[in-house]
Amino acid sequence: MLENNRKNCKKGDQVDCGRGHCNVNYTMDVLSLIKHSILADNNNPITKHFDLGRQTGSAGPEMVWKIFDAVRLEDKKEASVFLFEKKIADKLHKPRRRETVSELLRKEVNQLEHVRHPNVLSVMHGVEECHDSLAFATEPVIGSLSNVLGNYERIAAPVPQELKDHDFIEAEIKYGLMQITEALSFLHYSEQKLHRNICPQSILVTRRGCWRLGGMGFLEENKENKESFPCQPWTVKIPKMAQPDLNYVAPEIQLDKTCNYLSDMFSLGMVICAVYSDGNSLIGAEHTPSQYVRQLDQMHDLFGIIAHKMPLQLVDPVEKMINRDVRYRPTAHVFSTLRYFQDPVVASLQHLDTYDRKDFADKAEAYANLSQVIPNIPRKLLYKNVFPVLCADCKTSENIVYALPALLTMIDFAPRDDYMDIILPQFRSILSSTKPVLATVYILNKLDIILAKTPLEEIRTDVLPMVFNTLDSTSLQAQEAAVAAINGIKEYLDDSIIKKMVLPRAKSLFYRSTNVKLRINALTCIDHMLDSLDKMLILDEILPFLADVSCQDAEVVMTIVGIYKHMLSDKKFGLTHNLIATKVMPSLIPHTVNPGLCMEQFSDLMEVLREMLEQIDRQRRNKMKMETVTLTVPVRGSLKMQGEDGSGDEGITLQVVINEKSTSGKHASGNVSEILTSNRDIGVTNKRNHSIQSLGMSLDEKTSCTLDKPLDIQRRHSLVPPGTGHPTISITSDDNSPDRPRRPSTHSLGPFSVSGFGEYHYRGSERPRRPSTHSVGILPISMFGEGGERPRRPSTHSLGVFCFGEDRDKYDRPRRPSTHSLGPLVVPELERRGSRGSIFGTLGLGSDTPFISQRERRPSFQAFGESVMQLFSGK
């Protein structure tokens, strides 16, 4: 250093270089070097705790406090640092006055630390002092109300854009005034203190948009609890930055040197007027007491101009607040009860401000009220006041349970652009963070709200991992919520995600859990995903897994049954009859004897098994029909017509279904004959058939449409006696016993020649055959009892002419001829009395005939008509 000084020495200078004395005059340079060294080492100690950023605003008397953005180094929490540079007071030439300013600012910080209220500026770090500055740290603020209203004094260029662009909305003003009023009410009634400096420079605006009361350097305490007490007025003898703002001082303080709590209400009324007049006070004293008095007289005229800009509900209260007569002014408590402040939005925001100081019940109520009014909160307040609080609380495990409902309500009502730009960046960190079970369950239950607003890429990167991770949770409630959420997100899942992330977790949850409900959750998760799964994935992953389940618990079994029922509902699941028979039913059938199933569960299981069997039957039959199209499968019995040689009628087979209720061969035979008779008579009326039978006409001669047979084949229903060939009836039934003796049917169709009733032709049996009462044809009967083993009572349905002879005495009572006899009655030995109205006269029956009843008989009109038809037919 000495060598450098020697080189810099000018001619004539003397410097002590160690070798001699050089006379060099550099005293001022050394002092300057020492000064800069001291200043460099004298930075404010607050920088050791906070990292300072840009200046955002200014506040305090004469705006002496510079406000900087800051971050606390300890926990990276955001803050604001208020810095007072002592050089600002250097223009105050008297040292005593400079110290007065510093002392006032220290008092302000101490009072802020002492007064604890939600609407009072919160101090994070106390005052720190060094050689040239004072500093303290508070909650984050953007500046003072004066800055927001357009006063940028002591703000370094460029002025922050948020101050320039800030424009109050009515709800914001209402909310801010309510906060300052409550802070004053707390000071007056709880602390018994007078603020004395209510002005825009003492009101701070936080980043959330809340108004906080500061500027406590002029606080006066009412120790004796009097209505009024002495107070120092504004004077030129004290520096301006050490006194309140004269434009907002109450008249009684300046003129009478007394003050009371209502003096603060005058100042608050002046602040309200400044808010509605772009930051201009009704009094412009310009730091001159005499000017203040003159402006005081003109104040009410100016108020009339500003009143037009105020809400109508505020005009009268504010006019009373700025009245020179103290008796007209409302107290802070009365002013806070104005109808103007009775707004649900304001009330909810107020509860939110005091949230940190409430217990759990109050927190739940505060957020419940907030959720209801979120749709009505203006967008500016919503994102500046409400959203930051919600995000902060959702990042703490203690408060997230209360804050989440309000946050999701906000997401539900937010426009998509606001959600993408403002909410999602913060909400993403909430989704990925570790949360209490109740918080996770609530998010999963409201997942539809999130999915409706979140882009597809964000869903896959942020939402789906949270759901999948919850499946691995040990909490039953969380797992149930995750399983339910799977149903809502399945449209966002592809096969790769399901195969790699969902199915392994669901299977693992089932295998590692011993709790029945956890296993049911795993199976339910798989059931929800079925509609989104590919058929091959179901066959490769789901079916083997279900077939291997050996759990016997009834609820687990029924859940598996429900999955199979879901798979049976649509062919897209690929559950073929082969898989049902070989994979599904073998695993389900043992559960039919599971003693744990109740009646309802057993019924559901059997219903699914029947449905599976029906599907096997349907698909198998369809396949067999496709393979053998021409092959007919007999159902239970068939009736076959044979020719003379015993062969079938050219492969023509008639399918006959025998009634299952038949209990004997007799009944079955009767049913078959009845079916044949009904088939024969299709398309022919009953009356016409009776005529054909009575006349002995062959159905082959009349019609051939019933069986559609070739004309050269003799019909078994023919009324004409058979020729050389005897057509037979072959019945193939379930018992397969065609050789059994067959009782002749009473419906046998064919003519019988009866002479003495003992000689008649029969076929099909060796034993004599009893003539059928329905034998079709004319039966010439001479001796009614001959030829039979026992006397026979003539049938009332005999179709033909009855010739009664000597053996009529064998019958114990006379018989009335049937009114259905088809043909004329030939009575050779009896006189017959004609029926009343007979067109042939009187046909009488003699009284000497014991066989015939003594009463008269009316011949049948039907018999008469059919007899005429016989005559006309020539037979």
Side-chain angles (χ1 to χ4, degrees):
M1 180 177 177
L2 293 176
E3 291 295 332
N4 291 335
N5 290 338
R6 186 181 297 110
K7 290 179 182 180
N8 293 329
C9 289
K10 296 181 181 180
K11 186 178 180 178
D13 292 341
Q14 295 182 357
V15 178
D16 185 4
C17 59
R19 298 177 185 176
H21 296 279
C22 299
N23 296 323
V24 179
N25 190 8
Y26 61 102
T27 304
M28 296 299 298
D29 293 336
V30 173
L31 294 176
S32 177
L33 180 62
I34 294 173
K35 179 179 180 181
H36 286 293
S37 177
I38 294 174
L39 292 176
D41 294 336
N42 199 28
N43 289 335
N44 195 289
I46 204 168
T47 57
K48 298 178 181 179
H49 306 281
F50 292 87
D51 183 16
L52 272 63
R54 65 188 180 98
Q55 183 183 1
T56 60
S58 57
E62 293 293 305
M63 313 294 276
V64 295
W65 288 113
K66 291 183 178 181
I67 304 173
F68 294 88
D69 279 340
V71 176
R72 187 158 61 185
L73 299 177
E74 179 183 0
D75 54 5
K76 304 301 180 182
K77 190 174 183 179
E78 294 183 347
S80 289
V81 170
F82 286 66
L83 181 66
F84 166 63
E85 296 176 346
K86 295 181 179 180
K87 64 180 182 180
I88 296 176
D90 287 345
K91 60 181 179 180
L92 303 176
H93 301 290
K94 296 181 179 180
R96 178 58 184 168
R97 291 190 175 184
R98 290 197 297 267
E99 184 59 28
T100 301
V101 175
S102 298
E103 185 179 350
L104 176 69
L105 297 179
R106 293 189 197 97
K107 179 183 177 182
E108 178 180 348
V109 178
N110 292 332
Q111 292 292 344
L112 286 174
E113 290 181 305
H114 177 73
V115 178
R116 294 288 184 175
H117 188 267
N119 297 322
V120 174
L121 185 65
S122 176
V123 177
M124 294 176 62
H125 191 88
V127 63
E128 295 283 357
E129 186 173 2
C130 65
H131 177 74
D132 60 354
S133 64
L134 289 173
F136 71 103
T138 68
E139 60 182 303
V141 298
I142 62 173
S144 63
L145 180 61
S146 180
N147 296 148
V148 177
L149 293 176
N151 184 2
Y152 306 135
E153 185 180 357
R154 301 190 192 281
I155 297 178
V159 177
Q161 196 65 33
E162 57 186 348
L163 291 180
K164 292 182 178 180
D165 296 340
H166 201 290
D167 186 17
F168 285 121
I169 60 175
E170 185 59 36
E172 193 174 6
I173 296 173
K174 183 187 300 185
Y175 178 42
L177 292 177
M178 184 68 181
Q179 291 173 307
I180 300 302
T181 303
E182 289 194 349
L184 285 177
S185 180
F186 173 75
L187 280 177
H188 295 167
Y189 300 106
S190 298
E191 297 290 327
Q192 285 82 40
K193 294 179 180 179
L194 178 69
H195 189 278
R196 278 192 63 204
N197 189 31
I198 303 296
C199 62
Q201 297 92 312
S202 299
I203 297 174
L204 286 305
V205 180
T206 68
R207 291 182 185 177
R208 290 173 41 204
C210 301
W211 292 11
R212 297 288 185 256
L213 184 60
M216 299 288 186
F218 305 99
L219 212 62
E220 292 285 347
E221 185 174 0
N222 186 7
K223 296 180 180 180
E224 299 179 359
N225 198 18
K226 297 181 179 179
E227 291 186 1
S228 61
F229 45 91
C231 187
Q232 175 66 41
W234 199 95
T235 176
V236 295
K237 297 179 181 181
I238 301 175
K240 295 182 294 183
M241 62 184 63
Q243 298 185 83
D245 191 338
L246 182 58
N247 293 336
Y248 295 89
V249 172
E252 62 273 13
I253 295 177
Q254 188 63 27
L255 301 180
D256 302 330
K257 299 181 182 181
T258 60
C259 60
N260 55 49
Y261 296 143
L262 296 177
S263 300
D264 283 343
M265 297 308 296
F266 175 90
S267 300
L268 181 60
M270 297 295 287
V271 170
I272 296 174
C273 293
V275 169
Y276 286 100
S277 62
D278 300 327
N280 299 317
S281 175
L282 294 179
I283 297 176
E286 298 179 357
H287 307 293
T288 304
S290 59
Q291 182 72 10
Y292 172 85
V293 176
R294 290 193 295 269
Q295 292 288 328
L296 192 62
D297 296 334
Q298 303 174 3
M299 184 178 59
H300 289 281
D301 295 335
L302 296 175
F303 176 77
I305 299 173
I306 298 174
H308 295 288
K309 301 178 183 180
M310 290 184 183
L312 186 60
Q313 294 173 324
L314 268 184
V315 174
D316 185 62
V318 172
E319 185 176 13
K320 293 178 179 178
M321 291 169 71
I322 62 174
N323 198 303
R324 295 181 63 175
D325 193 339
V326 179
R327 295 173 298 176
Y328 289 99
R329 299 176 193 168
T331 62
H333 177 72
V334 172
F335 184 70
S336 64
T337 60
L338 287 178
R339 192 172 183 179
Y340 172 73
F341 296 111
Q342 306 307 311
D343 187 342
V345 173
V346 174
S348 297
L349 295 177
Q350 283 293 103
H351 286 301
L352 197 63
D353 273 343
T354 59
Y355 177 79
D356 292 336
R357 295 166 178 81
K358 292 180 178 292
D359 56 17
F360 292 122
D362 292 335
K363 289 179 180 180
E365 182 181 0
Y367 270 124
N369 294 333
L370 180 64
S371 299
Q372 295 178 359
V373 301
I374 276 179
N376 301 324
I377 299 177
R379 180 180 179 275
K380 184 178 180 180
L381 288 178
L382 187 63
Y383 293 115
K384 289 190 65 175
N385 293 64
V386 178
F387 183 62
V389 177
L390 294 180
C391 291
D393 287 341
C394 286
K395 294 177 182 178
T396 61
S397 58
E398 297 83 6
N399 298 329
I400 187 173
V401 177
Y402 307 105
L404 264 180
L407 180 59
L408 289 177
T409 303
M410 186 175 178
I411 293 174
D412 191 15
F413 286 94
R416 186 176 178 84
D417 293 340
D418 290 347
Y419 174 76
M420 293 291 297
D421 299 336
I422 303 174
I423 300 177
L424 185 57
Q426 298 291 332
F427 188 61
R428 185 183 295 113
S429 61
I430 297 173
L431 289 176
S432 59
S433 63
T434 303
K435 299 174 288 295
V437 173
L438 290 178
T440 302
V441 170
Y442 189 84
I443 292 177
L444 292 176
N445 291 339
K446 297 293 183 179
L447 201 60
D448 56 331
I449 297 175
I450 301 172
L451 296 177
K453 297 290 180 67
T454 308
L456 180 60
E457 291 300 324
E458 301 290 341
I459 291 175
R460 291 179 175 175
T461 57
D462 298 323
V463 179
L464 297 186
M466 184 198 70
V467 179
F468 298 151
N469 293 334
T470 308
L471 287 175
D472 296 332
S473 173
T474 57
S475 170
L476 177 61
Q477 189 177 6
Q479 286 182 357
E480 290 177 347
V483 169
I486 291 290
N487 196 31
I489 64 173
K490 61 184 180 182
E491 60 181 289
Y492 302 99
L493 305 176
D494 53 25
D495 289 345
S496 62
I497 295 178
I498 294 175
K499 188 174 182 179
K500 295 178 181 179
M501 300 185 69
V502 183
L503 282 180
R505 282 180 167 86
K507 292 180 181 179
S508 175
L509 175 63
F510 182 87
Y511 286 128
R512 75 172 187 266
S513 300
T514 57
N515 189 299
V516 174
K517 291 187 177 180
L518 294 181
R519 290 190 164 190
I520 293 175
N521 288 341
L523 294 173
T524 306
C525 177
I526 294 175
D527 191 16
H528 286 332
M529 291 187 299
L530 281 181
D531 292 327
S532 302
L533 295 180
D534 182 74
K535 180 172 68 175
M536 296 307 299
L537 193 59
I538 293 176
L539 300 181
D540 295 340
E541 299 287 343
I542 305 299
L543 279 182
F545 167 71
L546 296 178
D548 292 341
V549 174
S550 59
C551 180
Q552 297 296 315
D553 187 84
E555 294 183 359
V556 175
V557 172
M558 295 315 299
T559 306
I560 295 175
V561 170
I563 296 176
Y564 282 133
K565 189 173 184 179
H566 188 182
M567 296 171 68
L568 288 171
S569 64
D570 201 321
K571 294 181 180 180
K572 69 179 182 180
F573 298 115
L575 200 62
T576 62
H577 68 286
N578 191 11
L579 289 173
I580 294 174
T582 58
K583 301 292 184 182
V584 179
M585 293 190 69
S587 64
L588 286 182
I589 290 177
H591 293 298
T592 57
V593 293
N594 189 337
L597 298 181
C598 65
M599 178 63 73
E600 183 179 358
Q601 292 171 338
F602 177 76
S603 299
D604 293 340
L605 174 60
M606 294 304 298
E607 180 183 354
V608 172
L609 289 174
R610 290 190 189 98
E611 186 176 352
M612 290 180 179
L613 285 175
E614 289 177 1
Q615 186 164 333
I616 293 174
D617 178 62
R618 183 171 57 255
Q619 294 184 12
R620 184 63 180 161
R621 284 182 179 274
N622 291 339
K623 185 176 180 181
M624 295 176 67
K625 287 180 181 179
M626 294 294 295
E627 292 175 352
T628 57
V629 178
T630 59
L631 181 63
T632 59
V633 181
V635 182
R636 286 192 175 90
S638 63
L639 182 78
K640 189 179 293 184
M641 296 294 295
Q642 297 180 352
E644 296 177 3
D645 55 353
S647 62
D649 294 341
E650 298 179 1
I652 298 176
T653 302
L654 180 65
Q655 302 293 333
V656 180
V657 179
I658 300 176
N659 191 349
E660 294 179 359
K661 294 183 179 179
S662 301
T663 58
S664 65
K666 178 181 178 180
H667 293 169
S669 176
N671 290 335
V672 172
S673 62
E674 289 173 4
I675 294 171
L676 292 175
T677 304
S678 64
N679 289 337
R680 179 197 64 189
D681 293 338
I682 294 176
V684 183
T685 61
N686 291 332
K687 183 176 181 180
R688 183 69 170 167
N689 289 339
H690 286 310
S691 300
I692 296 172
Q693 293 172 5
S694 64
L695 297 177
M697 297 178 66
S698 172
L699 290 178
D700 284 338
E701 298 173 3
K702 186 66 181 175
T703 178
S704 62
C705 63
T706 56
L707 294 178
D708 196 15
K709 293 179 55 179
L711 297 177
D712 57 344
I713 299 176
Q714 187 80 32
R715 296 188 57 180
R716 69 182 186 282
H717 295 80
S718 175
L719 302 178
V720 181
T724 57
H726 299 278
T728 61
I729 297 175
S730 175
I731 297 179
T732 302
S733 60
D734 291 338
D735 55 7
N736 297 323
S737 57
D739 297 334
R740 186 179 59 174
R742 179 176 176 272
R743 181 180 178 183
S745 171
T746 56
H747 293 274
S748 300
L749 306 180
F752 292 85
S753 300
V754 182
S755 59
F757 207 72
E759 298 176 358
Y760 56 87
H761 295 281
Y762 61 89
R763 56 186 179 195
S765 177
E766 296 179 356
R767 62 176 179 172
R769 180 171 180 257
R770 181 181 177 183
S772 171
T773 57
H774 291 275
S775 299
V776 182
I778 302 173
L779 301 177
I781 302 175
S782 59
M783 298 298 292
F784 195 78
E786 296 181 0
E789 297 177 359
R790 58 185 176 85
R792 177 178 179 273
R793 181 181 176 182
S795 171
T796 57
H797 295 278
S798 298
L799 308 180
V801 180
F802 290 88
C803 299
F804 296 90
E806 298 176 355
D807 294 334
R808 62 182 182 270
D809 294 334
K810 295 180 180 180
Y811 299 95
D812 54 354
R813 62 182 176 86
R815 175 179 177 274
R816 181 181 177 182
S818 171
T819 58
H820 295 280
S821 298
L822 305 181
L825 294 173
V826 180
V827 185
E829 299 179 359
L830 301 176
E831 291 185 1
R832 184 179 179 208
R833 183 178 177 180
S835 172
R836 183 176 58 186
S838 174
I839 62 175
F840 294 106
T842 303
L843 298 175
L845 296 176
S847 60
D848 57 345
T849 304
F851 183 75
I852 305 299
S853 176
Q854 295 300 319
R855 63 175 179 171
E856 302 176 355
R857 174 178 178 273
R858 290 178 61 184
S860 169
F861 284 102
Q862 182 178 358
F864 167 73
E866 294 181 353
S867 299
V868 173
M869 289 179 62
Q870 183 180 17
L871 293 175
F872 287 159
S873 64
K875 295 185 180 183

